[in-house]
Amino acid sequence: MPDELDALLRRCGIRPLGEPTALSGGDIAAVYRLATDRGEAVVKRDAPARLAGEAEGLRALDEAGTRLVVPEVWGQDRGWLVMEALETTPPTPASEVALAEGLAELHAPTGEPHGWPRDNACGATPQPNGPLADGRAFQRERRLLPLARACHAKGLLDHRLRERLEDVAHDLETWLPDAPACLVHGDLWSGNVLHTPRGPALIDPAVYRHYPEVDLAMLTLFGAPSPAFLEAYWDGRRPDDWPRREALFQLYPLLNHLLLFGGSYRGAVERTVARLEGA
């Protein structure tokens, strides 16, 4: 048992019942399972700032008061995060609908600016969240342009594709209406959705406030939501320009994957830019 983790558990009044066991699937952080006198725990080891952002995000999702299950944070300090482990079950049509309805509750407008009081991270990528009143400006200045610059600096975007992406970013006010911000999970690919005996659950957030389509576009990019999920989520309110919004809000995660994992994502970025240019 590492000394820092042992000290954190003691401060939280948690007694370990054995040693941490490594889990697979953590691309960024080291992840462990640990039996404790409070129940099974998931323990993460990562950069302190990223873990603090994750802990804050989990608490924000929980405090939103939706029907979605969010693992309870038991403790976070320095490079360690300890949280409740969730029992998982196979998804069912009913749990897919419950996920959709819970996300619709999460996406109720907050009346606050687009952004978040503090920066956090999406994966290993720093995520600037400085609040802006206009959602188009936030998407451009806090999402698309910073990642376009970062990818270009690493040689992952050529000059022409960067220019095309910047043109898309500067064109948002011509077609995308401004809208009130809502709380979004921020990294809602299918691997961050769990189905549990208590209902659908969300893990590994990168929260901020923005357009709700952020989460839907991520789900359709790295997953295949069922027709029942989509029908329940939209409930007759699907925007007429959803295909264009879907492409727009897929650009940021695609650029992030290009930055993190390399040139295999460049083609997807270019195809998505072309979808927006042709819309």
Side-chain angles (χ1 to χ4, degrees), residues 86 91 100 165 209 217 227 234 253 271:
L86 299 178
L165 205 154
R209 298 184 182 94
W234 292 121
R271 289 191 296 273

Side-chain angles (χ1 to χ4, degrees), residues 21-262:
T21 302
L23 298 175
S24 61
D27 290 331
I28 307 300
V31 185
Y32 305 89
R33 186 94 172 192
L34 178 66
T36 80
D37 63 347
R38 191 181 295 186
E40 291 290 313
V42 169
V43 177
K44 297 184 79 169
R45 179 83 167 99
D46 198 4
R50 283 201 292 268
L51 291 180
E54 180 176 346
E56 181 183 49
L58 289 169
R59 293 185 177 108
L61 292 175
D62 183 57
E63 290 166 4
T66 74
R67 71 190 68 187
L68 298 171
V69 176
V70 181
E72 182 182 354
V73 175
W74 290 350
Q76 188 273 316
D77 187 40
R78 301 185 187 180
W80 296 96
L81 170 63
V82 181
M83 66 192 117
E84 169 194 14
L86 299 178
E87 179 186 351
T88 60
T89 59
T92 66
S95 66
E96 293 267 353
V97 169
L99 172 63
E101 293 172 346
L103 284 175
E105 294 169 359
L106 181 69
H107 292 161
T110 64
E112 299 181 64
H114 294 257
W116 194 248
R118 285 159 295 283
D119 295 344
N120 48 31
C122 190
T125 304
Q127 183 165 261
N129 291 323
L132 291 170
D134 191 299
R136 286 86 52 97
F138 182 88
Q139 180 64 204
R140 177 172 52 251
E141 303 298 332
R142 304 290 189 258
R143 294 293 177 262
L144 297 182
L145 295 187
L147 276 193
R149 288 192 294 267
C151 289
H152 183 259
K154 288 184 68 172
L156 297 166
L157 284 182
D158 60 38
H159 183 70
R160 177 58 187 141
L161 183 52
R162 177 182 172 179
E163 282 188 336
R164 291 170 60 196
L165 205 154
E166 290 174 342
D167 287 344
V168 165
H170 287 291
D171 191 47
L172 293 181
E173 279 82 355
T174 68
W175 67 271
L176 180 66
D178 192 19
C182 69
L183 183 63
V184 296
H185 176 283
D187 192 14
L188 196 63
W189 70 289
S190 58
N192 286 341
V193 175
L194 303 179
H195 294 270
T196 81
R198 293 157 51 196
L202 303 183
I203 62 171
D204 293 347
V207 300
Y208 54 103
R209 298 184 182 94
H210 200 29
Y211 289 85
E213 290 90 346
V214 163
D215 285 341
L216 269 290
M218 178 74 91
L219 276 177
T220 60
L221 178 62
F222 298 118
S226 69
F229 167 89
L230 293 171
E231 182 179 351
Y233 178 81
W234 292 121
D235 192 26
R237 301 186 302 271
R238 192 183 103 149
D240 292 339
D241 61 353
W242 161 242
R244 194 175 189 182
R245 294 185 187 216
E246 179 184 44
L248 170 65
F249 292 115
Q250 286 177 350
L251 260 183
Y252 173 63
L254 284 171
L255 286 166
N256 192 28
H257 276 65
L258 177 63
L259 185 66
L260 290 173
F261 305 117

